[in-house]
Amino acid sequence: MVDRVFLITGASSGIGAATARAASREGYKLVLAARSEARLAGLAQELGPENVLAVGTDVTDMAAQQAMVEQALERFGRLDVVFANAGRGGSPGGFSGADHQAWRDMILTNIYAVGLTVQATLPALRKSHGHVLITGSAAGRATIPGSMYGATKWAVTGLGYNLREELRGSGIRVTLIEPGMVDTPFFDEPPEHALHDRDIAEAVLYAVGQPEHVDVNEILVRPRPPLDDD
């Protein structure tokens, strides 16, 4: 049997790390990419260094992404699943008063970097008839006053739809993962009535685990609304 290889960006914490743990339990070889090399090293040690390649990567840099893919192919010989998960939030203030530099960094990470991940990994995925998953958001399906973050996730939704059309007939599946509120390091204070990162990891593994003739286009996951007596 061929060892299947699962690449995750934004893998050092939150949804990315939870997905790495879930994929490891399913027997995948892992390529874990993030800026924080120290966190990646700790996660690789936890999951078994012989099965994990940890790559410190600036996802907004195409050369860094290409180097990530080259290292993955040199180590494992193939890519089967790519989870473009890296993302970041913005700053308060809405369109009237938010930090415009924070906007720039967020747009580059949430949109441009996703495109780079897709472009860098597609040659390998075409060979394996693999699977692309992209972290969108419930915010990409709703109107949120003053939210540039929400606007980036609308763009990610469009990216996922348009990528699927480009790859129609290629054998590559494309899935948008769209979480609602998730309790991750994304927030300074833990949100109430939120999902856990492992809930989203399970959604990712559900999509990946379907038979080849099944293409899960989108998974929108929201926390259950609180009960009256919660």
Side-chain angles (χ1 to χ4, degrees), residues 76-97:
F76 296 124
R78 60 187 290 131
L79 286 177
D80 297 278
V81 182
V82 171
F83 186 21
N85 169 68
R88 63 187 302 165
S91 67
F95 292 104
S96 302

Side-chain angles (χ1 to χ4, degrees), residues 25-26 47 54 56 62 65-66 75 77 116 123 125 152-153 178 195 206 212 225:
R25 289 193 294 270
E26 293 296 320
L47 300 178
M62 186 54 158
Q65 295 239 29
Q66 290 171 329
R75 173 75 176 272
L116 296 185
L125 289 173
T152 68
K153 291 303 184 179
E178 299 166 315
L195 297 162
Y206 169 80
E212 289 185 359

Side-chain angles (χ1 to χ4, degrees), residues 51-67:
N51 297 317
V52 178
L53 172 64
V55 186
T57 307
D58 176 0
V59 291
T60 66
D61 182 337
M62 186 54 158
Q65 295 239 29
Q66 290 171 329

Side-chain angles (χ1 to χ4, degrees), residues 12 143 183 201-202 218:
S12 61
T143 301
D183 184 3
E202 289 175 5
E218 296 180 75

Side-chain angles (χ1 to χ4, degrees), residues 37-151:
E37 295 187 36
R39 287 183 180 178
L40 285 179
L43 184 58
Q45 191 63 37
E46 172 192 335
L47 300 178
E50 68 279 4
N51 297 317
V52 178
L53 172 64
V55 186
T57 307
D58 176 0
V59 291
T60 66
D61 182 337
M62 186 54 158
Q65 295 239 29
Q66 290 171 329
M68 169 190 73
V69 173
E70 289 170 5
Q71 290 179 62
L73 295 178
E74 182 177 349
R75 173 75 176 272
F76 296 124
R78 60 187 290 131
L79 286 177
D80 297 278
V81 182
V82 171
F83 186 21
N85 169 68
R88 63 187 302 165
S91 67
F95 292 104
S96 302
D99 177 357
H100 62 84
Q101 185 61 46
W103 276 353
R104 179 184 183 278
D105 295 342
M106 177 178 63
I107 290 167
L108 285 173
T109 303
N110 291 5
I111 306 172
Y112 178 63
V114 172
L116 296 185
T117 300
V118 169
Q119 192 171 91
T121 60
L122 272 181
L125 289 173
R126 288 185 186 277
K127 292 179 181 179
S128 65
H129 293 171
H131 197 152
V132 179
L133 300 101
I134 301 171
T135 299
S137 173
R141 301 175 60 121
T143 301
I144 303 173
S147 176
M148 182 65 85
Y149 172 80

